[in-house]
Amino acid sequence: MMRRHDLDWLRVLVFALLIFYHVGMFFVPWGWHIKNNVICEWLTYPMLFINQWRLPILFVISGMGTYYALNKRSGKQFVLERIVRLYIPLTVGMLLIVPPQVYIERLVNNEFQEGYFDFWPAHAFNGIYPEGNFSWHHLWFLPYLLVFSLLLIPLFLYLRKHPLNTFTLWIKKLATKPSSLFWFIIPLYLCEALLEPFFEVTHALVDDWFNFISSMLLFFYGFMLISVKEEFWKTVEQNRRLYLYCGLIGFALYMTIILSFEDSIYIHFTEALVKVFNLWAWILALFGYAAKYLNKASKPLAYANEAVYPFYILHQTIIIIIGYYLMDFNWGIVPKLAVMLILTFLFTWTIYEFGIRRSKFIRPLFGLKIKKG
């Protein structure tokens, strides 16, 4: 199956957006590891917009990537590849990349006063965060992907071996009609309406049932939609404006509900429907516009596509270190935001380019393939 460069572009752009999002978390009123000395209320609105679809589309793209990976590997090879590409970087991240984030949070909260190497390793792995210090923080995406891959591999192997099965043919039929693609929101709605009130999003894997099930559904959707091949891409490309309008309407309704109505059982079920409609419309719109304008190879894409995984692993630690030194400066929000973004990209790229990309020993620790020769 021919590689889709639009998926690579979307993956790169959404992970780049993740850097903007995590820098934004330093300024908005929502809980985060450390905070700027001045909180910015207006920034919550673009953050809310991004937050609706940024993680859902990553899980869909990851499901699509799984389809490609299985086309080149047996089941055993796929499982081994998932462990190498996900578990090793997760372990390295938890041992080396995440501890500075926890250390700085402890400094800011006056829970630790000594130097970093007094904290690591002596205290860095004592207890589970937030009560303790051991955590995967922003890397939670990796264990979820690993577990989803291991749980669904029997089903994926069956579907790959029987491409004309009834379920795949039904998905293919849905993918030919622009309105039928919205049937995919029904399971998402049931999760949002029935699980979300009882299971707070913790990213802890073991007690995170709403986030776990809804994310696994999106991962599964990605596998199924890519498996019907051109039908899906033709539909989203031809109807991209329709999905964009649906997304704009959905987000406007969502903002109206959360800003204008007090919570009640009726509001909850209405908000849940609007939320999943909104996020799915944006996902379809993004796929449609990417299929139209981004399905082309380029050298910058090849470079960025390889860099995106190390960037994801490194970026939040760098943001928090920079934020720690800037948090009490009496600058305006915009200058401080700009400086944090520029320095985060600059430092992350420097570490990637000169410390990771060129070393055959370090590359696999950050999820990259070992270069031959």
Side-chain angles (χ1 to χ4, degrees):
M1 185 178 179
M2 187 177 296
R3 188 178 187 92
R4 293 201 60 95
H5 301 291
D6 50 353
L7 283 181
D8 291 333
W9 273 118
L10 277 176
R11 179 171 172 266
V12 168
L13 292 172
V14 174
F15 271 114
L17 198 62
L18 186 64
I19 296 179
F20 285 85
Y21 185 83
H22 282 151
V23 169
M25 287 296 291
F26 180 67
F27 296 96
V28 295
W30 309 335
W32 204 54
H33 308 294
I34 63 172
K35 286 290 177 181
N36 187 39
N37 58 352
V38 176
I39 297 302
C40 179
E41 295 285 346
W42 64 262
L43 194 56
T44 59
Y45 298 107
M47 294 280 284
L48 277 169
F49 169 69
I50 294 169
N51 197 40
Q52 286 294 283
W53 48 262
R54 64 183 181 90
L55 284 171
I57 197 171
L58 280 177
F59 279 114
V60 176
I61 292 171
S62 297
M64 292 177 170
T66 298
Y67 181 86
Y68 283 113
L70 269 177
N71 278 345
K72 303 175 184 177
R73 299 170 179 86
S74 67
K76 289 182 180 179
Q77 289 171 333
F78 173 77
V79 169
L80 180 61
E81 186 262 354
R82 292 289 90 179
I83 292 172
V84 170
R85 295 290 300 278
L86 295 172
Y87 183 73
I88 291 177
L90 174 64
T91 302
V92 170
M94 293 177 70
L95 293 178
L96 299 176
I97 307 302
V98 172
Q101 300 181 37
V102 182
Y103 169 70
I104 288 173
E105 182 178 347
R106 299 305 181 215
L107 286 183
V108 170
N109 294 334
N110 294 315
E111 297 167 343
F112 197 84
Q113 286 81 38
E114 300 175 64
Y116 180 69
F117 289 103
D118 296 305
F119 175 80
W120 186 95
H123 300 281
F125 311 115
N126 292 342
I128 304 299
Y129 184 90
E131 291 77 15
N133 298 322
F134 191 47
S135 175
W136 49 45
H137 268 38
H138 67 294
L139 302 181
W140 68 269
F141 188 75
L142 303 183
Y144 280 63
L145 279 188
L146 179 59
V147 172
F148 296 163
S149 298
L150 297 178
L151 287 177
L152 294 175
I153 184 63
L155 177 58
F156 288 165
L157 289 173
Y158 173 83
L159 293 171
R160 187 186 68 171
K161 189 175 180 180
H162 303 88
L164 299 179
N165 67 84
T166 303
F167 184 68
T168 300
L169 293 176
W170 178 65
I171 296 295
K172 189 172 185 176
K173 184 178 179 181
L174 291 181
T176 61
K177 299 178 182 178
S179 59
S180 295
L181 283 171
F182 281 103
W183 285 107
F184 284 83
I185 71 174
I186 293 177
L188 295 174
Y189 173 68
L190 293 175
C191 285
E192 189 74 36
L194 303 178
L195 292 179
E196 189 271 341
F198 303 103
F199 296 99
E200 181 183 0
V201 176
T202 65
H203 299 150
L205 192 64
V206 293
D207 60 354
D208 196 22
W209 287 109
F210 159 65
N211 184 45
F212 182 90
I213 294 174
S214 60
S215 298
M216 188 161 63
L217 276 171
L218 291 160
F219 181 76
F220 179 67
Y221 286 176
F223 185 93
M224 293 308 304
L225 289 172
I226 198 78
S227 68
V228 302
K229 300 180 174 64
E230 292 309 313
E231 282 81 1
F232 171 70
W233 299 108
K234 183 179 179 181
T235 299
V236 292
E237 182 177 345
Q238 291 180 344
N239 297 278
R240 60 190 184 278
R241 290 186 183 86
L242 168 65
Y243 298 132
L244 175 62
Y245 298 148
C246 287
L248 291 170
I249 293 168
F251 185 68
L253 289 173
Y254 177 69
M255 292 302 297
T256 300
I257 290 171
I258 65 173
L259 294 176
S260 304
F261 295 93
E262 293 186 5
D263 195 22
S264 69
I265 189 168
Y266 303 108
I267 293 300
H268 166 72
F269 281 99
T270 303
E271 180 187 339
L273 180 60
V274 170
K275 185 176 179 181
V276 296
F277 172 81
N278 174 56
L279 74 86
W280 191 243
W282 282 108
I283 288 172
L284 296 178
L286 288 166
F287 280 137
Y289 279 95
K292 177 66 175 178
Y293 298 109
L294 298 179
N295 195 18
K296 56 192 75 172
S298 70
K299 288 185 178 180
L301 173 61
Y303 182 89
N305 196 41
E306 184 178 57
V308 71
Y309 198 176
F311 262 66
Y312 161 66
I313 293 170
L314 293 168
H315 80 279
Q316 184 165 292
T317 296
I318 293 171
I319 289 170
I320 289 176
I321 291 172
I322 295 169
Y324 175 69
Y325 288 102
L326 295 184
M327 61 191 301
D328 293 322
F329 284 15
N330 292 319
W331 298 356
I333 295 294
V334 173
K336 195 178 284 190
L337 185 69
V339 168
M340 288 188 69
L341 285 170
I342 292 168
L343 290 180
T344 299
F345 276 100
L346 179 62
F347 288 145
T348 307
W349 176 81
T350 302
I351 295 170
Y352 166 70
E353 177 62 27
F354 300 104
I356 298 172
R357 188 175 78 89
R358 306 180 188 200
S359 171
K360 66 179 181 179
F361 301 107
I362 297 178
R363 286 176 62 89
L365 302 182
F366 288 84
L368 301 182
K369 296 177 182 177
I370 299 175
K371 283 188 175 179
K372 298 179 181 179

